[in-house]
Amino acid sequence: MSDLWGRARVVRAVRRFFEQRDFLEVETPLMIPAPAPEPHLLPQPAGRWFLQTSPELCMKRLLARGHAKIFQICKCFRRQERGRRHVPEFTMLEWYRAGADYLALMDDCEQLLTAVAAELALPGENGHQVSLVLPWERLTVAEAFCRYAAMEVDEALRRDLFDQLLVEKIEPHLGVGRPTFLYDYPLELAALARPKPGQPEVAERFELYLGGVELANGFSELIDPVEQRRRFEADRRLIRAAGRRPPPMPEPFLAELDAMPQAAGIALGLDRLVMIMLGKENIDQVLAFPPETL
Amino acid sequence: MYTTSDLRKGLKIQLDGEPYIITDFEFSKPGKGQALYRCRLRNMITGNAFDRTYRSNDKFEPAALEERTMQFLYAQGDEYNFMDNKTFEQIVITKDLLGDDINFLIDNMEVDILLFKERAIGVTLPNFVNLTVTKADPWVKGDTSGSDSKPVTVETGYVLQVPPFINEGEKIQIDTRTGQYVTRVKE
């Protein structure tokens, strides 16, 4: 039996958190003609368009139009993702702050989870036995590889072992006892994040882990349309090399990126947040209908 | 060929010429990263198990397994002889592979044999077998020892606990998965 009351309470607490901080709740289209080309995400076609893999591009266009603090709770779709912590249709919480960088988002995460936990005050249940008391651990990707994978990040990338070492050797140690921010990803894995000033080999990107579970991915946004187009083109080449047809270039997004202020944005898996808050081990336990039951 | 989207618990694949069964399976995908399919594999011949991680583009050969219903003919030393009733082909299975199953094998019994490249690697008995009790102490009416079971020996030599009212010469049903008494069989 899934805990739908618990889920509703978490969602309500999240909404209250952002409303109290004057974030504007927005809704952007789920069906879009051109998702960001991501080599490892398979978008679900919907007619000649796609269901979104994330609301990222549309939300950034809202930033470009002058909305400085926005959040959204919406469905995202990724084909062929199914596991204890994955469903092809899941709920994302995404928020953006103009004039901020990824450090501000880390602070948001600390306050958000603390607020949700306080509002839930579930008797006898404290999720994954993770204490939310500050300070949370902050660990760079380079430190994490040295400490847990016994291999330098560069070598792991060169030998195409980054993801495997991360999943097998590093993730089990992250967020144990207290949450961990894994931050400063190699620029090759920057996605839409900006390079770190003074340290251009890494991107200002972080992931939040609780109890070995990856919960959120945030970054200081790249607002350079030329560099963004170059990365999209490189990613579209990777998609082609993998034998798939890349989605069309998201031209309206690139056109508006020029007007986008410096900002930071983050995507948090809401189903996973509910799992953690309610102490569940399997994402199915927080869904009304796992896909296999439909 | 199987692809990674076919991977699941219980799937049987062939690696380096040997059959493996996936006993544990987990999909994981770090943020923005590659999909990883983590499998625990057990060698269906040796029983050895290990973990291996696969990626989206990996492909797998299905294990060349065949299941055939065969009849038990006779045992000679450690060798047990079975015959396919359709082709009359005979094969020999060693005592090691049969394990505890030898306690429940009687002549002419039909069993399912799992073959890998013509070689038997597993045997599945019927869930229940009826065996004759060959040795049992008589039940004394009004026994006050308070025990609700007694040991008996069946025709295969197997010894098990049964209710006190079972007598020598009777047939009993045994669950081959647990080796336990189920019921008395009236003929």
Side-chain angles (χ1 to χ4, degrees), chain B residues 11-38:
Chain B
L11 189 76
K12 296 166 185 122
I13 60 172
Q14 195 161 316
L15 289 180
D16 307 323
E18 304 236 302
Y20 286 84
I21 183 165
I22 297 175
T23 55
D24 228 330
F25 172 73
E26 200 186 333
F27 171 87
S28 57
K29 193 169 186 305
K32 308 263 182 199
Q34 305 170 41
L36 299 172
Y37 303 80
R38 301 156 78 197

Short mmCIF file of all heavy atoms in Angstrom, two decimals, chain B residues 11-38:
data_model
loop_
_atom_site.label_atom_id
_atom_site.label_comp_id
_atom_site.label_asym_id
_atom_site.label_seq_id
_atom_site.Cartn_x
_atom_site.Cartn_y
_atom_site.Cartn_z
N LEU B 11 16.33 -14.14 -15.55
CA LEU B 11 16.73 -14.32 -16.95
C LEU B 11 18.00 -15.18 -17.01
O LEU B 11 18.89 -15.04 -16.19
CB LEU B 11 16.99 -12.96 -17.60
CG LEU B 11 17.20 -12.99 -19.12
CD1 LEU B 11 15.86 -13.18 -19.83
CD2 LEU B 11 17.86 -11.72 -19.61
N LYS B 12 18.03 -16.07 -18.01
CA LYS B 12 19.19 -16.96 -18.14
C LYS B 12 19.97 -16.57 -19.38
O LYS B 12 19.42 -16.54 -20.48
CB LYS B 12 18.72 -18.41 -18.22
CG LYS B 12 18.04 -18.86 -16.94
CD LYS B 12 17.28 -20.16 -17.13
CE LYS B 12 16.50 -20.51 -15.88
NZ LYS B 12 15.07 -20.65 -16.12
N ILE B 13 21.23 -16.27 -19.18
CA ILE B 13 22.08 -15.83 -20.29
C ILE B 13 23.34 -16.68 -20.36
O ILE B 13 23.66 -17.40 -19.39
CB ILE B 13 22.46 -14.34 -20.18
CG1 ILE B 13 23.24 -14.07 -18.90
CG2 ILE B 13 21.22 -13.45 -20.26
CD1 ILE B 13 23.82 -12.67 -18.81
N GLN B 14 24.03 -16.58 -21.48
CA GLN B 14 25.25 -17.35 -21.66
C GLN B 14 26.45 -16.42 -21.71
O GLN B 14 26.46 -15.46 -22.47
CB GLN B 14 25.13 -18.14 -22.96
CG GLN B 14 26.15 -19.24 -23.09
CD GLN B 14 25.71 -20.26 -24.14
OE1 GLN B 14 24.54 -20.65 -24.18
NE2 GLN B 14 26.62 -20.66 -24.99
N LEU B 15 27.44 -16.70 -20.88
CA LEU B 15 28.67 -15.90 -20.83
C LEU B 15 29.85 -16.83 -20.93
O LEU B 15 29.91 -17.81 -20.18
CB LEU B 15 28.79 -15.18 -19.48
CG LEU B 15 27.86 -14.03 -19.14
CD1 LEU B 15 28.22 -13.53 -17.74
CD2 LEU B 15 28.02 -12.91 -20.14
N ASP B 16 30.79 -16.52 -21.80
CA ASP B 16 31.99 -17.36 -21.94
C ASP B 16 31.62 -18.84 -22.04
O ASP B 16 32.25 -19.69 -21.41
CB ASP B 16 32.94 -17.15 -20.75
CG ASP B 16 33.25 -15.69 -20.52
OD1 ASP B 16 33.38 -14.96 -21.52
OD2 ASP B 16 33.33 -15.26 -19.35
N GLY B 17 30.55 -19.14 -22.76
CA GLY B 17 30.18 -20.53 -22.99
C GLY B 17 29.51 -21.23 -21.83
O GLY B 17 29.35 -22.45 -21.85
N GLU B 18 29.13 -20.48 -20.78
CA GLU B 18 28.49 -21.12 -19.63
C GLU B 18 27.14 -20.46 -19.34
O GLU B 18 26.98 -19.25 -19.58
CB GLU B 18 29.38 -20.99 -18.39
CG GLU B 18 30.77 -21.54 -18.60
CD GLU B 18 31.12 -22.60 -17.58
OE1 GLU B 18 31.07 -22.29 -16.38
OE2 GLU B 18 31.43 -23.74 -17.99
N PRO B 19 26.18 -21.22 -18.81
CA PRO B 19 24.87 -20.64 -18.53
C PRO B 19 24.84 -19.93 -17.17
O PRO B 19 25.34 -20.47 -16.19
CB PRO B 19 23.94 -21.86 -18.52
CG PRO B 19 24.81 -22.98 -18.08
CD PRO B 19 26.22 -22.67 -18.52
N TYR B 20 24.25 -18.75 -17.15
CA TYR B 20 24.13 -17.99 -15.91
C TYR B 20 22.69 -17.56 -15.71
O TYR B 20 21.98 -17.26 -16.67
CB TYR B 20 25.01 -16.73 -15.94
CG TYR B 20 26.47 -17.02 -15.78
CD1 TYR B 20 27.24 -17.38 -16.87
CD2 TYR B 20 27.09 -16.93 -14.53
CE1 TYR B 20 28.59 -17.68 -16.73
CE2 TYR B 20 28.43 -17.21 -14.37
CZ TYR B 20 29.18 -17.58 -15.48
OH TYR B 20 30.51 -17.87 -15.33
N ILE B 21 22.27 -17.48 -14.45
CA ILE B 21 20.95 -16.95 -14.14
C ILE B 21 21.13 -15.66 -13.35
O ILE B 21 22.04 -15.56 -12.52
CB ILE B 21 20.09 -17.98 -13.37
CG1 ILE B 21 18.68 -17.43 -13.13
CG2 ILE B 21 20.74 -18.42 -12.06
CD1 ILE B 21 17.67 -18.47 -12.72
N ILE B 22 20.31 -14.65 -13.67
CA ILE B 22 20.38 -13.38 -12.94
C ILE B 22 19.58 -13.53 -11.66
O ILE B 22 18.37 -13.76 -11.70
CB ILE B 22 19.84 -12.23 -13.80
CG1 ILE B 22 20.70 -12.06 -15.05
CG2 ILE B 22 19.80 -10.93 -13.00
CD1 ILE B 22 20.18 -11.04 -16.04
N THR B 23 20.27 -13.46 -10.52
CA THR B 23 19.56 -13.67 -9.25
C THR B 23 19.19 -12.35 -8.59
O THR B 23 18.39 -12.32 -7.67
CB THR B 23 20.43 -14.49 -8.27
OG1 THR B 23 21.68 -13.83 -8.11
CG2 THR B 23 20.65 -15.89 -8.82
N ASP B 24 19.82 -11.28 -9.02
CA ASP B 24 19.49 -9.97 -8.46
C ASP B 24 19.71 -8.94 -9.55
O ASP B 24 20.64 -9.08 -10.33
CB ASP B 24 20.43 -9.67 -7.28
CG ASP B 24 19.63 -9.19 -6.09
OD1 ASP B 24 18.57 -8.58 -6.31
OD2 ASP B 24 20.06 -9.45 -4.95
N PHE B 25 18.85 -7.95 -9.59
CA PHE B 25 18.95 -6.99 -10.69
C PHE B 25 18.57 -5.61 -10.19
O PHE B 25 17.58 -5.46 -9.48
CB PHE B 25 18.01 -7.41 -11.83
CG PHE B 25 17.90 -6.39 -12.91
CD1 PHE B 25 18.94 -6.19 -13.79
CD2 PHE B 25 16.77 -5.59 -13.03
CE1 PHE B 25 18.85 -5.22 -14.79
CE2 PHE B 25 16.68 -4.62 -14.02
CZ PHE B 25 17.73 -4.45 -14.90
N GLU B 26 19.37 -4.62 -10.54
CA GLU B 26 19.01 -3.26 -10.17
C GLU B 26 19.38 -2.29 -11.27
O GLU B 26 20.48 -2.31 -11.80
CB GLU B 26 19.73 -2.86 -8.87
CG GLU B 26 19.04 -1.70 -8.20
CD GLU B 26 19.79 -1.17 -7.01
OE1 GLU B 26 20.54 -1.93 -6.38
OE2 GLU B 26 19.64 0.03 -6.73
N PHE B 27 18.40 -1.44 -11.61
CA PHE B 27 18.64 -0.38 -12.59
C PHE B 27 19.10 0.85 -11.82
O PHE B 27 18.51 1.21 -10.81
CB PHE B 27 17.33 -0.07 -13.32
CG PHE B 27 17.40 1.14 -14.21
CD1 PHE B 27 17.86 1.03 -15.51
CD2 PHE B 27 17.01 2.38 -13.74
CE1 PHE B 27 17.94 2.15 -16.32
CE2 PHE B 27 17.08 3.51 -14.55
CZ PHE B 27 17.54 3.39 -15.84
N SER B 28 20.16 1.50 -12.28
CA SER B 28 20.52 2.77 -11.66
C SER B 28 21.06 3.70 -12.71
O SER B 28 21.51 3.29 -13.78
CB SER B 28 21.51 2.57 -10.52
OG SER B 28 22.64 1.92 -10.99
N LYS B 29 20.97 4.98 -12.38
CA LYS B 29 21.33 5.98 -13.37
C LYS B 29 21.69 7.23 -12.60
O LYS B 29 20.82 7.89 -12.05
CB LYS B 29 20.11 6.23 -14.25
CG LYS B 29 20.40 7.01 -15.50
CD LYS B 29 19.18 6.94 -16.41
CE LYS B 29 19.48 7.57 -17.73
NZ LYS B 29 19.96 8.95 -17.59
N PRO B 30 22.99 7.54 -12.54
CA PRO B 30 23.35 8.79 -11.85
C PRO B 30 22.86 9.99 -12.66
O PRO B 30 22.70 9.88 -13.88
CB PRO B 30 24.88 8.73 -11.79
CG PRO B 30 25.29 7.78 -12.86
CD PRO B 30 24.13 6.86 -13.13
N GLY B 31 22.60 11.09 -12.00
CA GLY B 31 22.05 12.27 -12.66
C GLY B 31 22.78 12.60 -13.95
O GLY B 31 23.99 12.74 -13.96
N LYS B 32 22.04 12.70 -15.04
CA LYS B 32 22.57 13.05 -16.35
C LYS B 32 23.53 12.00 -16.89
O LYS B 32 24.13 12.19 -17.95
CB LYS B 32 23.31 14.41 -16.34
CG LYS B 32 22.48 15.54 -15.73
CD LYS B 32 21.80 16.34 -16.78
CE LYS B 32 21.01 17.49 -16.16
NZ LYS B 32 20.00 18.00 -17.08
N GLY B 33 23.72 10.90 -16.17
CA GLY B 33 24.72 9.92 -16.58
C GLY B 33 24.12 8.74 -17.32
O GLY B 33 22.94 8.73 -17.67
N GLN B 34 24.97 7.74 -17.54
CA GLN B 34 24.56 6.56 -18.29
C GLN B 34 23.67 5.65 -17.44
O GLN B 34 23.86 5.58 -16.23
CB GLN B 34 25.77 5.72 -18.68
CG GLN B 34 26.84 6.44 -19.45
CD GLN B 34 28.10 5.60 -19.55
OE1 GLN B 34 28.04 4.40 -19.77
NE2 GLN B 34 29.25 6.23 -19.40
N ALA B 35 22.78 4.93 -18.10
CA ALA B 35 21.99 3.91 -17.41
C ALA B 35 22.90 2.72 -17.13
O ALA B 35 23.65 2.30 -17.99
CB ALA B 35 20.82 3.49 -18.27
N LEU B 36 22.85 2.23 -15.90
CA LEU B 36 23.66 1.08 -15.52
C LEU B 36 22.74 -0.02 -15.03
O LEU B 36 21.78 0.24 -14.30
CB LEU B 36 24.66 1.46 -14.42
CG LEU B 36 25.66 2.56 -14.79
CD1 LEU B 36 26.46 2.97 -13.56
CD2 LEU B 36 26.61 2.08 -15.87
N TYR B 37 23.04 -1.22 -15.45
CA TYR B 37 22.21 -2.37 -15.10
C TYR B 37 23.08 -3.30 -14.27
O TYR B 37 23.96 -3.96 -14.79
CB TYR B 37 21.71 -3.06 -16.36
CG TYR B 37 20.95 -2.14 -17.28
CD1 TYR B 37 21.62 -1.26 -18.14
CD2 TYR B 37 19.56 -2.11 -17.29
CE1 TYR B 37 20.93 -0.39 -18.97
CE2 TYR B 37 18.85 -1.26 -18.12
CZ TYR B 37 19.54 -0.41 -18.95
OH TYR B 37 18.85 0.46 -19.77
N ARG B 38 22.85 -3.31 -12.98
CA ARG B 38 23.72 -4.08 -12.09
C ARG B 38 23.08 -5.44 -11.83
O ARG B 38 21.97 -5.53 -11.32
CB ARG B 38 23.95 -3.31 -10.80
CG ARG B 38 24.61 -1.95 -11.09
CD ARG B 38 24.33 -0.96 -10.01
NE ARG B 38 25.16 -1.18 -8.86
CZ ARG B 38 24.89 -0.66 -7.67
NH1 ARG B 38 23.80 0.06 -7.49
NH2 ARG B 38 25.70 -0.87 -6.66
#
